[in-house]
Amino acid sequence: MRPPFDPTLYLVTDTELCSPRPVADVVRAAVAGGVTAVQVRDKHASRRDLLALTRAVRDALADRPDVPVVVNDAVDVALLAGADGVHVGQDDLPAVEVRALLGPDRLLGLSVESADDLATALRLPPGTVDVVGLSPVWATPTKPEAGPGLGLEAVGELVRTAHAGGLLAVAIGGIDAGRAAAAAATGVDGVCVVSAVCAAADPHAAAATLRAAISPAAAR
Amino acid sequence: MRPPFDPTLYLVTDTELCSPRPVADVVRAAVAGGVTAVQVRDKHASRRDLLALTRAVRDALADRPDVPVVVNDAVDVALLAGADGVHVGQDDLPAVEVRALLGPDRLLGLSVESADDLATALRLPPGTVDVVGLSPVWATPTKPEAGPGLGLEAVGELVRTAHAGGLLAVAIGGIDAGRAAAAAATGVDGVCVVSAVCAAADPHAAAATLRAAISPAAAR
């Protein structure tokens, strides 16, 4: 059984953008503001530091068991931290291998950057992947190597294909308060943000603004 | 139960130094020449590539089950590849955490760079660590950040302390054919080499020469 997973507003952490504030403090404020799921990502951290960071984020959300904490890439860290899942990209460990290590009780997300990537994901054994991260919607400064954006129309098509295959779909890349509504209107199950929250002077307010843009009724 | 582990001549791989030859080819030749244990190390590879590399090395040694294959740092990769163990440095996942993931049937090595590091390792629960890697004996171009060498006298003292605590000890850092005998004479259970084999034009011959320098009788 997977943990509850509401990806409506999915925060992916960036340690440098949060700095000098501890990532866990930014996460805590952002969750209070409306973030519904958290992915701990730090490609520059050692596994030792990433484990400490993930535990700090989990501790900061101890009173919010409804908000899952997922670890980017590092399966060993996710297992040790008791995280709710793992998110992998196309260059990380293959999804089938990650699922073998995770067992059936954790979430697994997979970044897909094209219709081909999604088709491959949909051919995986059922239950391997829970959610695909459509990436990038727009070009993004936090991941310049991701290239130009897919665009809203292509994202909408990928979402429909993912849903038809029984997968959740979230959108990531260049999403800020001004673009969140348009991203959400593609039909995705949630939007991911990095700098829009991590670089915000007030992460609580930034999350609340994003949440209101995505789901006006829920935020009222 | 741990797998058999004879670290007499312990090869730590370096993908760039092996290039353009596949690492697995170099490893196979080196084992034929006298290498007794292999650690797959590639700090620049993605986990996906490291997994493929580890499997290639294991496949290349399918007929040598007496030669254990250990993975540097990546516990998830070691588990997926069915490797014989993991080696971690002071900045990698803490040894106690790694042992928790590995279970009792795999080897765990830990780099120690000082008497303090060794004292900390000896305070770990019994059975956590199997072998300490005393590092670096001499300054080494493959790990310039490791600083100046410990020197032979200090290595000898650390070996005696490790043995008194029930741990195996290997020496690493700057060991080549000209220095292997002196390193072995400190009383270590084995010497680790990187460039002395990976950068050699003939890894089989290089391993044989090193082996003869370390244990003249065995190589006769």
Side-chain angles (χ1 to χ4, degrees), chain B residues 121-139:
Chain B
L122 290 169
R123 282 194 298 268
L124 295 172
T128 303
V129 168
D130 301 298
V131 56
V132 288
L134 309 176
S135 166
V137 185
W138 289 280

Side-chain angles (χ1 to χ4, degrees), chain B:
Chain B
M1 263 268 293
R2 307 289 201 267
F5 181 53
D6 169 6
T8 301
L9 181 55
Y10 190 177
L11 172 63
V12 180
T13 70
D14 184 303
T15 304
E16 279 179 43
L17 291 177
C18 289
S19 177
R21 302 163 297 187
V23 171
D25 289 3
V26 172
V27 167
R28 192 175 163 76
V31 167
V35 159
T36 60
V38 177
Q39 180 186 138
V40 179
R41 183 169 80 180
D42 189 335
K43 292 286 192 187
H44 304 296
S46 69
R47 296 273 157 148
R48 175 181 289 249
D49 290 343
L50 188 64
L51 177 58
L53 175 60
T54 305
R55 285 181 169 150
V57 168
R58 284 204 77 206
D59 289 349
L61 299 180
D63 58 346
R64 293 298 303 268
D66 56 313
V67 177
V69 175
V70 164
V71 177
N72 185 277
D73 181 21
V75 185
D76 38 18
V77 169
L79 292 171
L80 286 170
D84 298 294
V86 168
H87 184 92
V88 290
Q90 293 289 321
D91 295 332
D92 298 328
L93 287 173
V96 167
E97 315 262 13
V98 175
R99 175 55 70 196
L101 283 178
L102 284 183
D105 298 330
R106 288 188 167 91
L107 297 159
L108 179 54
L110 172 66
S111 294
V112 303
E113 294 160 20
S114 65
D116 279 356
D117 286 352
L118 179 55
T120 302
L122 290 169
R123 282 194 298 268
L124 295 172
T128 303
V129 168
D130 301 298
V131 56
V132 288
L134 309 176
S135 166
V137 185
W138 289 280
T140 166
T142 58
K143 214 170 178 181
E145 75 278 11
L150 295 163
L152 292 171
E153 195 176 336
V155 167
E157 271 180 45
L158 293 170
V159 169
R160 285 187 287 279
T161 307
H163 285 170
L167 299 182
L168 294 171
V170 295
I172 186 167
I175 299 175
D176 58 19
R179 286 165 158 178
T186 59
V188 287
D189 300 290
V191 300
C192 302
V193 290
V194 189
S195 49
V197 164
C198 293
D202 183 341
H204 180 289
T209 302
L210 285 157
R211 185 68 185 275
I214 296 164
S215 46
R220 244 175 239 145

Side-chain angles (χ1 to χ4, degrees), chain A residues 17 32 45 92 220:
Chain A
L17 291 176
D92 297 330
R220 243 176 239 143

Side-chain angles (χ1 to χ4, degrees), chain A residues 15 40 42 44-56 77, chain B residues 90-94:
Chain A
T15 304
V40 179
D42 189 335
H44 304 296
S46 69
R47 296 273 157 145
R48 175 181 289 250
D49 290 343
L50 188 63
L51 177 59
L53 174 60
T54 305
R55 286 181 169 151
V77 169
Chain B
Q90 293 289 321
D91 295 332
D92 298 328
L93 287 173

Side-chain angles (χ1 to χ4, degrees), chain A residues 141-158:
Chain A
T142 56
K143 216 171 177 179
E145 74 282 9
L150 296 163
L152 292 171
E153 196 177 334
V155 167
E157 272 180 43
L158 293 170

